[in-house]
Amino acid sequence: AQSVAQPEDQVNVAEGNPLTVKCTYSVSGNPYLFWYVQYPNRGLQFLLKYITGDNLVKGSYGFEAEFNKSQTSFHLKKPSALVSDSALYFCAVRDMDTGRRALTFGSGTRLQVQP
Amino acid sequence: EAGVAQSPRYKIIEKRQSVAFWCNPISGHATLYWYQQILGQGPKLLIQFQNNGVVDDSQLPKDRFSAERLKGVDSTLKIQPAKLEDSAVYLCASSLGLDQKQYFGPGTRLTVT
């Protein structure tokens, strides 16, 4: 079975400071990993994905994520937070090797960036 | 480019009634997804189509939910009869193919009373 955990319901950070939103996953095989963002009154939007290759993945709006196989983590990061980054962030995983072709999403982490 | 269209945006029904949602994906997108997002939770996949064939419907409550994607374009999701626990936002998404980035529609907020 595939699963993903986002251990923090909410993350608070001051504008200009670095931010990290945590995600850990569980799969039997190798993972495909994704981050999506949900802004207020807007649909979910794709941020970035990891399939193979470089462990540091760069995505939209200055976000990046680091894949760590030994810790089964895929944390989302940004060097300098903006107030406009305040939103709900979802991590998602698919097990490449089990044949299931659907993503499993985490429960989400609300990011609040204070001015 | 036009995004994923969904209708209606809001729907209120009584339990045991039926309801249908419509989705028009981005032109050329072969893969279409229906998700259920209950307040405070992440989206849960209900059904995934590749063209007009079903790829995954393992979490679809088939005794009351049904979905179709005729001609590999538009899709409808139906609930009959609805239960209180079906109150949620129903999201449609599409992508060029498997593991490609998904584009989400605005969703339909369903309230069952």
Side-chain angles (χ1 to χ4, degrees):
Chain A
Q2 58 190 38
S3 67
V4 63
Q6 294 182 243
E8 302 155 318
D9 289 338
Q10 181 157 322
V11 170
N12 298 307
V13 64
E15 188 173 31
N17 283 0
L19 69 88
T20 299
V21 182
K22 296 180 180 177
C23 171
T24 59
Y25 65 89
S26 176
V27 294
S28 303
N30 293 297
Y32 286 147
L33 292 155
F34 298 78
W35 277 100
Y36 282 83
V37 59
Q38 192 168 37
Y39 295 103
N41 300 315
R42 291 167 62 180
L44 275 156
Q45 297 178 29
F46 170 84
L47 272 181
L48 50 81
K49 70 177 179 181
Y50 171 84
I51 295 183
T52 60
D54 195 347
N55 289 344
L56 186 64
V57 179
K58 293 190 183 299
S60 307
Y61 313 121
F63 284 93
E64 58 188 27
E66 186 169 11
F67 172 66
N68 188 316
K69 188 169 184 177
S70 63
Q71 296 188 5
T72 62
S73 67
F74 189 57
H75 300 333
L76 182 70
K77 300 181 180 184
K78 188 174 182 181
S80 178
L82 299 172
V83 172
S84 57
D85 293 329
S86 298
L88 191 54
Y89 291 81
F90 292 96
C91 182
V93 68
R94 184 173 88 79
D95 190 328
M96 293 169 53
D97 302 322
T98 61
R100 179 149 195 247
R101 302 171 80 176
L103 286 181
T104 296
F105 282 79
S107 56
T109 298
R110 186 165 301 280
L111 174 67
Q112 292 277 19
V113 181
Q114 283 106 19
Chain B
E1 118 189 308
V4 176
Q6 289 187 249
S7 67
R9 292 293 311 276
Y10 305 91
K11 189 75 177 178
I12 301 174
I13 62 172
E14 295 181 351
K15 60 183 179 183
R16 291 187 289 274
Q17 287 186 324
S18 62
V19 63
F21 311 126
W22 174 80
C23 173
N24 183 231
I26 292 173
S27 177
H29 280 194
T31 313
L32 185 146
Y33 315 77
W34 282 103
Y35 291 91
Q36 180 192 58
Q37 187 175 18
I38 292 172
L39 188 63
Q41 299 181 18
K44 182 181 85 170
L45 182 77
L46 294 175
I47 189 165
Q48 180 174 331
F49 293 94
Q50 182 73 12
N51 297 308
N52 59 350
V54 175
V55 170
D56 190 309
D57 63 356
S58 58
Q59 297 189 101
L60 186 73
K62 298 179 184 64
D63 58 335
R64 298 185 300 106
F65 285 65
S66 64
E68 61 183 7
R69 191 184 184 196
L70 300 176
K71 303 180 182 178
V73 183
D74 293 12
S75 177
T76 56
L77 175 71
K78 296 179 181 177
I79 307 175
Q80 182 180 7
K83 293 185 175 181
L84 294 176
E85 59 260 36
D86 298 333
S87 294
V89 175
Y90 290 85
L91 299 167
C92 180
S94 70
S95 65
L96 283 169
L98 183 65
D99 296 323
Q100 301 300 308
K101 70 177 183 179
Q102 297 181 28
Y103 294 80
F104 284 80
T108 297
R109 183 176 297 277
L110 174 67
T111 301
V112 182
T113 63

